[in-house]
Each structure stands twice: as C-alpha cells, then as structure tokens.
Amino acid sequence: MRHRAVVCLTLALGLVPCAAAAAQEGEHSPNMSFVENLPYEAADADGTPNFGTDIEFATISGREYALAGSYENGLHIVDITDPQNAQVAGIYDCGVTQGDVQVFRQDDEPGRVFATYTSDTFGDGDSTCYREAEALGFDVQKDDGSEEGKNGSFIVEVTDPSSPRTVSFAEVPQGSHNQSVHPSGNYMYNSNSDLITSLQPAIEVIDISDPSAPHTVGELSLPTRPGLGTESHDITFSDDGARAYSAALSQGVIIDSTDPANPEIVTSFLDPAINVWHQSDPVTVGDSEYLFVEDEFAGAAGGPICPSGGFHIYDITGDKEQSPEKVGYWNIDEVGLTNNPTSTCTAHVFDIHEDAGIMNVAFYDGGVRVVDISGLAEGEGLRQVGSYRHGDADTWSAKTPRIEEDGSFYLYGNDMARGLDIYRFDASAPESESIGTWLSPLQASAQLPRAPVGTPQLACLLAR
C-alpha cells in the first residue's frame, strides 16, 4: 500500500528528499529504541539513494523477510529473522517510481511466493525487471523513443529471496500507483491515483490466476466527485475477500468483492473534513466494525508544519456500511515546524493489528508512531503509546509483521531519506507522554474545514 497522490508535485517544486547520514539517536518515547538502519544505494550514478516507499513481509522457508520498495532503487528483500542483525538477502533491480509492493500466494502453487511491484510514472527500461519481462515476451518498452519502460505492475517470484525473478508484467497505461491483491491470490485491483485529468475514474481488475499471464478482465467505474480527483489511490481487502475499501482521493468507496472478477459498489461517501483520501482500512474493535481513513493532507505538499493530516474513524457495523457514521478524528499533538523546511508531517502508510489493538503509522518528518486503538470499544478514541522521530526522518511507511504475546514488537520504517529503519517497541516500558488529540465528529467538522490542495492546515487547532 500506498503512497502520496502528488509526489509529482513535490518533485516539480524541487523538494527532492536529500540523502543524509542516518542519525543513531532521535526523539522518542521511553518504550521505543532504535535498532539499526539499512540504507539503499542509488541504482545509478545520477540517482538519489534510499527513497524507501512501501514495505510488506513474508515468511519463506522458516525465515522472516521484509520486502521494502523504493523510488528507482529496486525492491530490497531483507532477512529480519534476527532483527538485531538484519541483512539484505537480495535486491530486485527495478528502476520504477512508486515501488508499491504486495506479497501473495496461491493455493495451486504451493511453496511459491510472489509479489507485485508497481511502476506508476516512470520506469527505467534498461533495469533488470524490464529486461527480464521483455525476454519473457512482454511488450514493456515505450514507443516514444524515450528508452523508458511502460507503466503497470510486475509480478516477481521471491521464493528464493536471494534471487528474485520477474514472472510477468501487467501493463496499465495510466500507471500502477498501488496494487492490491485479493486474498484468493487470483486477482489484483489497480489504483492509478490519477488526478482530475482522468475522464472516467475506474479500478482496473486484473486476473493473475496464472501469474505468468496476467490480463485485465474489466473495470469498476467510480463516481466522479469534485476535488483533487476521484480515482482510487489505495485499496485494502477484508481478510475474507468479501469487501474492498478504496481511498479514492476525494471520496471513500466500499466495494462488494465477493466475486472478485465482478466487483460492485456498496457505497461511495464524502467527508468535507478530509483533504486527500489516501488509505482506508477496516478493523473490528469490540462488537463494532470501523473504517480508518487516513488523510494525506495536500498530498504531502502541505507545508512544513506538524501535524497536518490525521485519521478519520467511521462506524460501518451492519447497516451503517451503507452510510458510514463518523465517530471521531485523531492526530498527533506535537505542534510546530518540521525539522526540514521542505518536509511535511502528515499521516501516511499504516498497518493495524486487530487482535493487539495496535496501529503503526508513518508521519514523514514526524517519524513513526504506535497507537492504541482499543479505546474505541469504550468510546474513548485513539491514544498514542509510542513514538520515534529522527532528525532527518522522512518516513513513508511503518509496519510490523507480528506483535509478541506481551505486546512488544519490532517496527520497520521505510524512509525516503534514510532507507530501512528498525525500531523496538517495549510494552513493559513507560508509554509516550504525548497521546495525541482526539476530536468528536462535531469538533472535527468545525476545526478541520476542507482546504485547497497545497494550503497548509492550521495545526494549532489540533492542540486543543
């Protein structure tokens, strides 16, 4: 899952993240410590090192791996079986912009492990992934004389983490900003995240039941709404595959994906307090089903204030699925300027561990945050319990593959300036003194008016 909708605007404004030496100590709560940093070398002499993007995990032959994407520097497959001594096991050389990764398996391919890897706005046609796909017979080179590769998604086999290999390529002319694989492993839904220039917003549905021969089987048209755009930016499936939840830039969309080849819209809904719908995940807390929607304020171009975009929470239990009921809003409460004047401090890629009642989230310049969501069952909202913020942080995603019985875990932050950061959350140590700000729906409506894209939000409001 899942990157900012308008990184192209950031680059156009000259706000390219700079490589910096990884600081060994930063601001943090007592229960979080820094373990290790694994930087990514630039794939070519003119490139930018690091630029970490999405991250997913896989257990392969009894060992645990983190699959960490990047802008143009390939997919880094890191052995995290012993997180204190993590090592890069292999690199999938694929010079693309986006680098969103999804890991999947298929019942009729026992023992094999696959991943999708997305090319959105740029692909280096000479990098290994394109050359391997071309050798397999796929038409992957643009015909405009640019020597660039086409946009879409690669399917790569990572069964041998030290030697990832291209299996196929699914072309998507509008690009693959994010790619979400149905739990069956047989279909993937493409989010192209195009802005208002897109004439007919739609989710491309791609059959990957034969990973070597992906093909598009249809599109799910999305309602056109006013705003930044209404294409899907990111999609999360329910564990049983019966529902898909799309954050579609200017709207939220709940999809019936029981028949994944023929999805249908359950509902599309709006919230004027959300600036950019970026990620939308379902979670059960107590007896209720909720939808967590993250607002990547101004597409991460919202200015050097902290914080900007946060989380909007909806009750979608039972009949409320047809008309989600907002129950509150949460954001970090450390108000001020970012460490870097070209940075931003909006919520970004997150993961939720339902059984533990924990959410992890990256905040770009704001570093990584651990949030207790169990209070929703008692009407108490969300509460930050841990944080770590390096002085040069620009963290895109923050996730963990598992939480231990006592609530402790290793947290992995994929960072644009630093590469892969590994942290330790100690559940027995004192929690963060800063718990964040929880607003009621009425407060959120009053204090978080929808702002034009690129206009900084008044972060001081969040301190109330």
Side-chain angles (χ1 to χ4, degrees):
M1 304 174 189
R2 304 147 190 195
H3 175 52
R4 50 189 178 196
V6 291
V7 69
C8 52
L9 295 181
T10 304
L11 297 177
L13 291 171
L15 309 183
V16 179
C18 297
Q24 295 304 304
E25 186 71 17
E27 301 173 359
H28 59 92
S29 56
N31 54 7
M32 289 198 71
S33 58
F34 177 61
V35 176
E36 186 177 4
N37 169 262
L38 298 175
Y40 311 144
E41 292 184 4
D44 61 71
D46 298 325
T48 302
N50 299 313
F51 220 132
T53 58
D54 192 27
I55 186 169
E56 291 290 344
F57 306 95
T59 300
I60 305 172
S61 300
R63 302 191 69 81
E64 191 77 39
Y65 295 91
L67 283 75
S70 73
Y71 253 51
E72 300 188 39
N73 295 326
L75 174 65
H76 290 69
I77 304 173
V78 182
D79 189 332
I80 58 170
T81 307
D82 177 6
Q84 298 283 345
N85 296 286
Q87 297 181 351
V88 176
I91 299 176
Y92 182 54
D93 175 34
C94 199
V96 297
T97 54
Q98 197 57 29
D100 182 72
V101 57
Q102 288 268 284
V103 177
F104 69 99
R105 292 172 169 83
Q106 295 179 327
D107 290 341
D108 57 355
E109 295 284 356
R112 299 181 72 185
V113 185
F114 303 96
T116 60
Y117 198 59
T118 63
S119 172
D120 187 11
T121 57
F122 170 80
D124 179 358
D126 192 46
S127 57
T128 302
C129 58
Y130 281 100
R131 289 189 280 106
E132 287 183 340
E134 193 168 29
L136 291 169
F138 292 91
D139 180 10
V140 297
Q141 302 295 336
K142 290 185 177 179
D143 299 324
D144 57 6
S146 64
E147 298 184 357
E148 289 187 16
K150 292 182 176 180
N151 301 128
S153 288
F154 290 90
I155 295 179
V156 51
E157 182 166 2
V158 295
T159 307
D160 178 358
S162 67
S163 184
R165 65 178 186 87
T166 303
V167 174
S168 63
F169 177 74
E171 181 182 356
V172 181
Q174 288 180 256
S176 290
H177 198 73
N178 288 295
Q179 195 68 258
S180 302
V181 179
H182 187 267
S184 67
N186 292 324
Y187 294 90
M188 57 186 184
Y189 288 10
N190 185 74
S191 297
N192 63 59
S193 194
D194 280 2
L195 305 184
I196 55 176
T197 54
S198 181
L199 297 179
Q200 176 51 64
I203 294 169
E204 298 88 357
V205 180
I206 303 169
D207 186 326
I208 57 171
S209 55
D210 178 357
S212 66
H215 57 281
T216 300
V217 294
E219 291 187 346
L220 175 65
S221 295
L222 299 178
T224 300
R225 303 286 197 179
L228 178 70
T230 48
E231 291 279 15
S232 178
H233 178 281
D234 188 80
I235 298 168
T236 299
F237 285 101
S238 61
D239 289 341
D240 61 5
R243 288 290 186 272
Y245 303 87
S246 171
L249 299 180
S250 299
Q251 64 182 319
V253 186
I254 300 177
I255 301 164
D256 183 342
S257 52
T258 308
D259 178 1
N262 298 286
E264 298 180 349
I265 291 178
V266 174
T267 189
S268 164
F269 66 105
L270 307 177
D271 185 337
I274 298 179
N275 187 248
V276 177
W277 298 66
H278 177 271
Q279 184 179 340
S280 176
D281 282 22
V283 59
T284 300
V285 181
D287 297 325
S288 299
E289 182 82 5
Y290 296 95
L291 192 64
F292 281 48
V293 176
E294 169 254 318
D295 178 3
E296 187 189 29
F297 186 81
I305 56 172
C306 200
S308 52
F311 285 86
H312 301 254
I313 316 300
Y314 306 85
D315 189 339
I316 55 170
T317 308
D319 292 342
K320 293 178 182 177
E321 181 186 55
Q322 297 287 338
S323 183
E325 178 183 300
K326 193 166 188 175
V327 298
Y329 169 88
W330 181 86
N331 207 333
I332 60 176
D333 57 8
E334 299 157 29
V335 177
L337 296 175
T338 58
N339 293 323
N340 185 326
T342 65
S343 292
T344 189
C345 185
T346 182
H348 202 227
V349 176
F350 65 96
D351 75 351
I352 297 175
H353 289 260
E354 186 173 279
D355 291 343
I358 288 293
M359 175 178 73
N360 300 305
V361 57
F363 263 84
Y364 287 120
D365 181 277
V368 298
R369 309 295 171 132
V370 179
V371 183
D372 185 337
I373 66 172
S374 62
L376 281 173
E378 308 300 328
E380 298 175 354
L382 279 58
R383 178 173 60 93
Q384 178 176 284
V385 293
S387 66
Y388 205 110
R389 182 182 188 182
H390 287 288
D392 58 347
D394 202 355
T395 313
W396 179 308
S397 55
K399 302 178 184 179
T400 184
R402 63 175 54 82
I403 295 179
E404 298 156 21
E405 288 187 9
D406 71 345
S408 301
F409 57 91
Y410 288 94
L411 179 62
Y412 300 85
N414 207 7
D415 192 289
M416 294 194 295
R418 300 170 50 83
L420 181 64
D421 283 319
I422 304 175
Y423 305 91
R424 177 67 176 172
F425 177 83
D426 181 358
S428 65
E431 295 180 351
S432 169
E433 293 183 0
S434 172
I435 64 173
T437 299
W438 176 256
L439 301 179
S440 70
L442 184 61
Q443 290 171 322
S445 177
Q447 297 186 22
L448 303 173
R450 187 176 184 121
V453 171
T455 301
Q457 194 174 30
L458 296 178
C460 59
L461 292 175
L462 301 179
R464 294 181 182 177

